[in-house]
Amino acid sequence: RSSDLDASTGNEVLTYVAFGGIAALTITLAMRENMRGLATLLSPAFVLFGVWALVAVVLSLDPGTSIRRFALTVCVIAVAATLMLLPKSQTELMRWFSITALVLLAVCYLGILLAPQLSIHLATDPQEPGLAGNWRGSFGHKNEAAAVMAMLLFLGIYIVRSGAWLSGIAITALASLFLLYSAGKSSLTLCFAVLLLTSATSVVRSFWLRAVLLLMPLLLLNLLSVGTVMFDGLAEVARLLPLDSTFTGRTDIWSFAVQALQERLPIGFGFSSFWGSSSIQNLPEGKEWAAFASHSHNGYLDTALGMGLPGLALLIVVLVIEPLRNFHRADLGGNNGPLTMALLRIWLFGLYLSSMESFFLDRADSMWFTFLLAVFGLHYLARFRVRA
């Protein structure tokens, strides 16, 4: 889609003006009443990650691309970080979520009814005709649609538990139906897994047991996917499983990405400047497809490609370890209601899905933005009591 291209390449001045203007507006509004909340973002983990991202921009093999994409990414992160501070109460936040979810669902379903040629994958699609009949709504691909619908399902459950039965049931039902018809098998499977595992946290109270419960599947997902192109033993194990561990033939792209990463393990190729940039050159015969690939279908691998192993380590601290600690602190501190559980589910779903898709630090991705809302929401819930 042209809108994605503009936001992705940064060729349009209007894109920068829009992103920068929205970021400036939300920051200004948050500063009026929530300076204490904003100040908590200056944590060592966030600061170190931001500094290393700047290093990755400066040392990039394609600095122009890195600078453009970094600028837009900062704007998106700023909006997500401040947006959760703007509602004056939990009731107002729930109302915001309800309206946003219902509007998005209405757009998607109206697209299916009124413009199916634009909202449903067709057999005439030049790239993936095999997806014919799968719903994608207002999204560019059925996988993105499925992931967002899973996140809306979590919000719908939260809204029902908070007392808004009518809108909550409507969101849950409509999102579930769309998720089924999008045929996003990964999102559907992960959705059930997340609901099951997060429900178990009401029984498992130890932080370390919770870490094992929630993060062990994440480790296994990466070992049995990207790990299979790095270690022959894992490849043998994966072949014995009753499922396709290549997730529809992604082994080639993982292998190509891992081989490229070995050349620049300490610093990577530059912030978001590997795929679709001048970093990919002199491709051998049979690898020409890499010049047209947009990502490696693994967010952790793409982070390492962009910012090296130190950048990946910092991302794991900021997006994996800290949110889990924040959930535990919020739960023990009295913020253990439906909102905290919904944010935990969105966060965990995003972590798992990033083993198969790549949306970390992608300024134009709706999954990334929704995931960020959960990360920052858990950050604030660990430090402040929610207003009723």
Side-chain angles (χ1 to χ4, degrees), residues 15-36:
T15 300
Y16 290 98
V17 173
F19 276 55
I22 295 172
L25 176 62
T26 55
I27 291 172
T28 301
L29 292 174
M31 288 176 64
R32 293 170 57 184
E33 296 184 7
N34 295 284
M35 279 302 299
R36 286 180 59 218

Side-chain angles (χ1 to χ4, degrees), residues 8 14 162 181 189 195 213 287 323 331 333 344 381:
S8 169
L14 183 60
S162 297
Y181 277 93
T189 302
L195 287 171
L213 174 72
K287 298 290 185 180
D331 188 37
L344 176 73
L381 287 170

